[in-house]
Every structure is written in structure tokens, then in C-alpha cells.
Amino acid sequence: FVGRALRETGAALKQASGAEIFTRHRPNMIFNGTKPFKTNDTFVAPSSSIIGDVTNWDESSVWYGAVVRADSGHPITIGFSSNVQDRAVINTLPASVDTMQSGFPPICHVGHYVSVGAGSVLVSCTVEDLVDIGEKCTIMEGAIVESNTILEPGTVVPAYARIPSGQKWGGNPAKFVGNLTDQEKADIKDKAEKIHLQASEHLLEFLPIGSNYVHLEELEQKGAGATQG
């Protein structure tokens, strides 16, 4: 309790003095010697966590509070222009599991142009290209979600289930809702691309070195204006 009080008091004094406070949180963390891979145009939010053997393809994004955790020796891949939205969690089965009941290794693969909705949980599953996963969905180990698919918010895909291509599913457990129209299929890619554009703006605004110099420039401009006036 005393230690917490001292930390909070110190933080308050720093803030009052105008000093910028940097968080100790590390968005990208090496685990067992394996560092997450991301490209220059991958947006990783400062409050997200990407741990271990994770590969982020070009134009992908991991948003605020999301966790992508590959700390059990099984890799995770996030495809081109795919997004993991706020507070979503992607992980794999424990290291003690070498092979799933399906005979495949317990990796987690997220394809291209996939939107993983906020608060969703994915565990050692395969999501093919062009899939829209709604908010707070759950996809369990061994499940396969084929391409051009929409999962309604709150959908639960049980372990080793298969969601066929070109369909919309929803409910707990997931049930068939209907076939997708051509427009609904096109909207899946459009949504992923729009989120990428939004992520690009966040990537440009995020300054790892802080933003004190921006405030200093503003003060200097105000001072110069007052002198000239």
C-alpha cells in the first residue's frame, strides 16, 4: 500500500511539473528467444500485447487492449490487411499438446482480409481469407472457418467444427443463418480495407518518442505571435 502511494505521488508530481510519463508496457515481447515479426506498415497499438512466435503480415493491425499470445511453442499468423480489434484475444493450446484430435498441429492461422471483432477469442483455430468475425465471438481449437464467411456477434464455434464457405452463422453453438449475397461477400474485404486505412492514421499519430516537442513548438509559436503583436 505504501509503495503504491509513493508511486502515485511521484506520478502526480511529474505530471504537475509538465514531465511526460512513459508506460512500462511493451507491445512486442520476446518469449523464449522468439521475437514477434511485423512489417513497417503493421499497426500495433501501444496498449496491445504481441508475445512470442507471432507473424503479422503487411497492413495488418492489432488494436488497443488486444492480446496475441504465442508463448507455448505454437505459432500464430495474422494475414495481409487483417485486423484484431480492441480487447480480442488470440492464443494457442498449451505446449503439452503437440497434435490436436484432427491430426493437425495446434497453431492459430488468421488469413488475409479477416476482421476479428472486439472482445473475440480465438484458440488454435484456422480462419481462412475474407472472414468477418463479429464482436465477442469464440472460435475453439481445431475449428475451421472457411473463406467468404460472416460470424454474427456472440457466435460460438465449438472445437473441431467447420463453417462452410459463403455462409453466415450465428448463435451458441453456431448455427447456419443463410447464404451470403455477392454484396455481403464484397463488404467483407471493404471492411478490412477501411480498418487498415484507419490503422494507418493511428500509426502516423503514434510517436514512440513522446509528444513533448509538439507542445514546445506550440508554446514557441504562441510566444512568437505575442512578441510580434
Side-chain angles (χ1 to χ4, degrees):
F1 177 79
V2 175
R4 179 180 177 183
L6 290 173
R7 285 195 301 270
E8 291 179 351
T9 301
L13 291 172
K14 288 182 179 179
Q15 186 175 9
S17 66
E20 187 165 4
I21 300 174
F22 293 90
T23 177
R24 298 178 182 176
H25 178 72
R26 292 178 293 167
N28 293 280
M29 193 179 93
I30 298 175
F31 191 85
N32 283 341
T34 303
K35 180 180 179 180
F37 172 81
K38 68 181 184 70
T39 61
N40 291 333
D41 56 359
T42 297
F43 170 64
V44 177
S47 61
S48 65
S49 298
I50 301 180
I51 304 165
D53 192 2
V54 180
T55 299
N56 293 275
W57 282 55
D58 302 76
E59 300 185 4
S60 60
S61 56
V62 180
W63 290 80
Y64 301 93
V67 177
V68 183
R69 182 165 56 88
D71 58 353
S72 59
H74 309 306
I76 296 175
T77 303
I78 300 173
F80 176 83
S81 199
S82 292
N83 56 85
V84 182
Q85 298 171 26
D86 306 70
R87 304 179 311 283
V89 176
I90 300 178
N91 60 12
T92 60
L93 292 176
S96 58
V97 180
D98 294 327
T99 307
M100 295 186 292
Q101 295 178 14
S102 60
F104 292 98
I107 66 172
C108 192
H109 174 79
V110 177
H112 309 316
Y113 297 106
V114 175
S115 296
V116 180
S120 294
V121 177
L122 279 62
V123 182
S124 290
C125 58
T126 297
V127 180
E128 296 183 352
D129 302 342
L130 297 163
V131 175
D132 184 4
I133 301 172
E135 295 182 359
K136 297 183 179 180
C137 289
T138 302
I139 306 178
M140 297 305 296
E141 70 272 11
I144 299 176
V145 181
E146 296 184 354
S147 60
N148 289 299
T149 302
I150 294 178
L151 299 182
E152 294 183 338
T155 300
V156 176
V157 181
Y160 305 104
R162 171 178 165 269
I163 305 297
S165 176
Q167 297 180 357
K168 179 186 292 184
W169 285 60
N172 181 12
K175 295 181 180 179
F176 174 73
V177 175
N179 292 314
L180 297 184
T181 64
D182 291 339
Q183 184 59 52
E184 286 176 321
K185 292 179 182 178
D187 289 343
I188 295 174
K189 185 175 181 180
D190 289 344
K191 178 178 180 179
E193 289 179 336
K194 288 178 180 177
I195 293 177
H196 160 62
L197 292 176
Q198 187 178 19
S200 299
E201 296 177 358
H202 283 253
L203 183 62
L204 290 174
E205 292 292 335
F206 174 60
L207 301 174
I209 59 174
S211 57
N212 269 345
Y213 79 94
V214 177
H215 302 312
L216 178 59
E217 290 177 352
E218 291 176 352
L219 291 174
E220 289 177 346
Q221 289 175 0
K222 290 180 180 179
T227 303
Q228 292 175 0

